[in-house]
Amino acid sequence: MSLETLERDILKEVAAAHDEAALEALRVSALGKKGSISERMKSLGSMAPDERKQAGAALNLLKDKVAGAIAERKSALQEAALEQRLASEKVDVTLPVRSQPQGTIHPVSQVWEEIVQIWGDLGFSVAEGPHIEDDFHNFTALNMPPEHPARQEHDTFYFNEKPDGSRMVLRTHTSPVQIRTMLSEKPPIRIIVPGRTFRCDSDQTHTPMFHQIEGLVIDENTHLGHLKWALTEFCKAFFEVDEPKMRFRASHFPFTEPSMEVDINCSWEGGQVKIGTGDSWLEILGSGMVHPNVIRHGGLDPEKYQGWAFGMGLDRIAMLKYGIPDLRAFFEADLRWLKHYGFRALQVPTLAGGLS
Ligand code: DAH
């Protein structure tokens, strides 16, 4: 084969090489130890001096040409690869970052917010009180004097005795905030009190810390009809049913007279409770007309003022609304549970936008 033909063949193959690996294989086959050009170099030794000079120069020229062509092709391939990457990995840095929210809103927070929305719409404001209460606000002022039997039902957490013999308690209900509000605000009063409460009890539906919502209205002429209407409106909005059946059942609490427990109708299909349909009943709260002694302890004249109140378990109605079977899991901080029962962050419940 003539040197010209060899040159033409190699350069053609170099031009056609599609990637760096093919190029490297070509380099080896031409310029490697046993390559086509290297083989020809070996034959120089047996030539006459003149002939060798000429052939050697021609071979060196060819060698340089081939090496140059390979280097050129190599950088062309590299550049093309870079161009392709730049085109395919293009990012628009002016686009907004869309990160995936990771956390969820706890059902207690969600229901708390839903309840505040509903009662807020009815003209109620949110009141608060301390978790550590004195005996007066938690019991005595609520018409439960020291030897009152209802005190025993509360499974109270007591603090150590003070020098004067009195003992503070972890509040067993949100009702003491009724007294605190009456003592600090002028009627008319319309408040709800969402908050933590504490009792020494633990099973599937009880935890030592739980949440209640208290409601209190004090005015010169408010009556049982207002209470029934407001609680019915609340249930419609909270459970998202148009015509729930409500049952106001005579009951007894020391701080109300008369007292009623309120039930809502429900059905149990396939072990799942459904609120607002069916012929079964579920108790959801306690309520009544505020006892005159309570109004008096709140610094108001029961001849002039009357009122109504209610109290319900926030966790309990969260379980009912969202079908959560075990209360203890609420407070175990298990991320799998939170992922399952939690609510999307930034999706704040509103009456206009939907509560759940
Ligand atoms: N404080 C009561 C409890 O913890 C609940 C309750 C019942 C509150 C009736 C009220 C009420 O305001 O009127 O069991």
Side-chain angles (χ1 to χ4, degrees):
M1 188 194 285
S2 75
L3 220 50
E4 288 78 46
T5 314
L6 183 63
E7 178 180 330
R8 210 185 53 222
D9 285 356
I10 294 175
L11 292 183
K12 215 161 99 189
E13 283 179 87
V14 168
H18 281 303
D19 52 32
E20 286 188 52
L23 214 51
E24 175 60 12
L26 268 173
R27 190 193 64 77
V28 172
S29 80
L31 306 174
K33 254 192 193 149
K34 292 191 173 149
S36 49
I37 296 176
S38 311
E39 288 296 339
R40 293 199 181 211
M41 287 284 197
K42 285 179 197 159
S43 63
L44 291 177
S46 58
M47 291 180 186
D50 269 2
E51 199 186 352
R52 185 192 307 151
K53 209 173 172 187
Q54 219 184 357
L59 272 174
N60 273 330
L61 203 66
L62 176 59
K63 213 171 123 183
D64 290 347
K65 241 186 198 170
V66 167
I70 287 175
E72 208 174 292
R73 180 76 190 138
K74 190 170 172 176
S75 75
L77 282 173
Q78 281 171 343
E79 206 166 301
L82 182 63
E83 284 299 327
Q84 202 186 8
R85 256 186 79 188
L86 286 175
S88 66
E89 292 177 10
K90 193 159 61 182
V91 286
D92 183 348
V93 294
T94 65
L95 284 174
V97 178
R98 240 180 260 155
S99 59
Q100 281 297 308
Q102 298 255 314
T104 58
I105 303 293
H106 195 287
V108 167
S109 306
Q110 173 81 11
V111 165
W112 181 311
E113 193 53 43
E114 290 176 17
I115 291 171
V116 169
Q117 286 291 326
I118 296 168
W119 288 102
D121 193 52
L122 292 172
F124 286 65
S125 52
V126 173
E128 290 184 311
H131 294 164
I132 298 174
E133 264 297 5
D134 53 35
D135 188 276
F136 173 77
H137 289 92
N138 196 80
F139 293 121
T140 304
L142 291 163
N143 206 27
M144 286 187 270
E147 299 312 321
H148 198 286
R151 284 186 174 217
Q152 267 134 49
E153 289 161 25
H154 279 217
D155 300 309
T156 312
F157 285 114
Y158 286 97
F159 285 79
N160 290 340
E161 263 184 30
K162 294 203 263 195
D164 67 4
S166 68
R167 286 191 292 178
M168 300 295 277
V169 301
L170 283 176
R171 70 176 181 194
T172 57
H173 48 177
T174 42
S175 304
V177 185
Q178 288 191 21
I179 306 298
R180 293 187 175 274
T181 307
M182 282 190 261
L183 288 170
S184 64
E185 278 176 31
K186 276 211 192 89
I189 291 170
R190 272 185 218 95
I191 53 152
I192 54 161
V193 186
R196 292 186 173 192
T197 47
F198 308 84
R199 289 185 201 180
C200 187
D201 203 355
S202 180
D203 60 35
Q204 196 173 334
T205 53
H206 297 88
T207 48
M209 187 284 297
F210 59 108
H211 299 85
Q212 284 191 341
I213 302 257
E214 190 82 12
L216 175 71
V217 171
I218 299 285
D219 208 340
E220 288 183 27
N221 42 35
T222 185
H223 54 72
L224 206 70
H226 295 147
L227 179 164
K228 288 178 76 172
W229 176 83
L231 288 175
T232 306
E233 285 305 299
F234 167 75
C235 286
K236 281 187 199 172
F238 180 75
F239 291 111
E240 298 173 281
V241 286
D242 292 338
E243 294 297 333
K245 281 191 262 172
M246 310 280 293
R247 191 166 73 171
F248 293 80
R249 201 164 23 80
S251 181
H252 178 264
F253 300 105
F255 28 87
T256 46
E257 181 60 38
S259 304
M260 298 173 303
E261 279 176 317
V262 179
D263 302 336
I264 189 167
N265 70 320
C266 70
S267 68
W268 292 94
E269 264 165 46
Q272 271 283 25
V273 63
K274 211 169 157 207
I275 307 282
T277 62
D279 298 324
S280 301
W281 296 100
L282 257 178
E283 183 196 321
I284 49 169
L285 58 91
S287 66
M289 297 305 292
V290 181
H291 195 289
N293 288 346
V294 175
I295 294 187
R296 207 171 286 121
H297 278 127
L300 299 171
D301 178 2
E303 293 297 324
K304 184 173 179 199
Y305 292 107
Q306 51 194 327
W308 47 273
F310 62 88
M312 61 191 160
L314 193 161
D315 323 278
R316 177 175 156 78
I317 63 168
M319 288 167 78
L320 290 176
K321 181 168 179 180
Y322 294 112
I324 307 172
D326 193 317
L327 178 60
R328 290 166 295 196
F330 273 64
F331 310 116
E332 280 168 359
D334 184 329
L335 283 177
R336 293 163 302 178
W337 185 90
L338 277 169
K339 232 185 186 126
H340 183 79
Y341 288 112
F343 294 84
R344 291 238 302 278
L346 307 179
Q347 215 173 42
V348 181
T350 63
L351 288 180
L355 286 177
S356 57

